[in-house]
Amino acid sequence: GIQVEQSPPDLILQEGANSTLRCNFSDSVNNLQWFHQNPWGQLINLFYIPSGTKQNGRLSATTVATERYSLLYISSSQTTDSGVYFCAVFGGATNKLIFGTGTLLAVQP
Amino acid sequence: ETGVTQTPRHLVMGMTNKKSLKCEQHLGHNAMYWYKQSAKKPLELMFVYSLEERVENNSVPSRFSPECPNSSHLFLHLHTLQPEDSALYLCASSQDITNTEAFFGQGTRLTVV
């Protein structure tokens, strides 16, 4: 099946800093989503981005499907950005949204 | 306010108990999913339902029994669980089972004692 790897696994930032999170996947995909998991466990949809670039406030994402990776950019980070960021892909011959292992982000004041 | 609602938010149960987790979606979607998230592990897909029919059972033990009475509701019936089944159980829905955007509920944090 498709393998999804995220990097870095952990990231500590000072408030106001920028960061880039990466998601690599091993096969062609039809769908890619980025999620933020808050401290209470809920997965918040950030982007639905099978290809191209999207922006939403301080967050933006780019997926290069032909090269099998996606990037999530966080600018001017805030403490409320802390949590785990997951990418998930849907592809191949299965009806499955496959999750990466996540990036744990801690933004310090 | 999420379009996918799970109850209860927290559940503690003994190994001999029977309990059920409930998921309801208000998005008009046709596909619903159960995921399990254990500590230090990626989210694992458990079951997929499309138009109330189970289309995926990801080698889940029979002590977990899903039920989808209609396209808006999904249950996960639990019986004779083990302590290692303690985890966050997440429900999701999407328009259909092909490559469409999935939306998740708040999750039920289950502890088996």
Side-chain angles (χ1 to χ4, degrees):
Chain A
I2 294 177
Q3 305 298 313
V4 183
E5 294 181 359
Q6 291 186 242
S7 60
D10 304 280
L11 184 59
I12 299 175
L13 298 175
Q14 290 299 121
E15 206 167 19
N18 303 327
S19 63
T20 301
L21 281 56
R22 187 176 180 104
C23 173
N24 291 333
F25 41 95
S26 61
D27 203 347
S28 59
V29 299
N30 300 317
N31 171 14
L32 187 145
Q33 292 186 243
W34 282 98
F35 296 92
H36 174 212
Q37 189 168 38
N38 65 24
W40 298 272
Q42 184 166 11
L43 286 167
I44 309 297
N45 289 43
L46 298 178
F47 294 101
Y48 172 75
I49 186 167
S51 63
T53 297
K54 291 186 177 180
Q55 178 148 13
N56 185 1
R58 297 181 295 104
L59 302 183
S60 63
T62 295
T63 296
V64 184
T66 53
E67 297 186 23
R68 299 182 184 169
Y69 73 89
S70 183
L71 302 174
L72 178 69
Y73 305 95
I74 304 174
S75 64
S76 305
S77 58
Q78 300 175 358
T79 56
T80 51
D81 295 331
S82 298
V84 183
Y85 289 81
F86 288 102
C87 75
V89 302
F90 189 112
T94 66
N95 305 321
K96 297 181 181 182
L97 190 65
I98 305 298
F99 280 77
T101 49
T103 292
L104 176 59
L105 174 65
V107 180
Q108 298 178 337
Chain B
E1 179 68 31
T2 179
V4 182
T5 304
Q6 289 185 242
T7 54
R9 295 293 305 276
H10 301 272
L11 178 62
V12 179
M13 61 185 288
M15 288 188 283
T16 58
N17 291 159
K18 290 185 180 181
K19 296 286 184 182
S20 296
L21 309 185
K22 179 182 176 182
C23 177
E24 184 174 0
Q25 58 97 1
H26 311 277
L27 301 169
H29 289 167
N30 294 317
M32 296 187 76
Y33 313 81
W34 279 117
Y35 280 84
K36 175 184 178 182
Q37 187 179 26
S38 304
K40 310 289 185 185
K41 285 187 176 181
L43 274 79
E44 304 169 58
L45 179 65
M46 299 176 73
F47 301 104
V48 180
Y49 274 82
S50 175
L51 295 170
E52 302 136 53
E53 200 173 313
R54 192 189 312 179
V55 297
E56 186 86 29
N57 178 349
N58 226 26
S59 303
V60 179
S62 59
R63 58 186 184 269
F64 296 91
S65 175
E67 179 190 2
C68 188
N70 56 62
S71 58
S72 299
H73 293 87
L74 184 65
F75 294 89
L76 187 63
H77 304 299
L78 316 171
H79 64 98
T80 60
L81 295 192
Q82 304 298 311
E84 58 264 30
D85 296 322
S86 299
L88 180 67
Y89 289 84
L90 289 157
C91 172
S93 72
S94 63
Q95 185 59 53
D96 54 54
I97 60 171
T98 59
N99 52 348
T100 57
E101 187 174 6
F103 295 84
F104 282 78
Q106 311 97 313
T108 295
R109 193 163 296 279
L110 173 68
T111 303
V112 181
V113 298

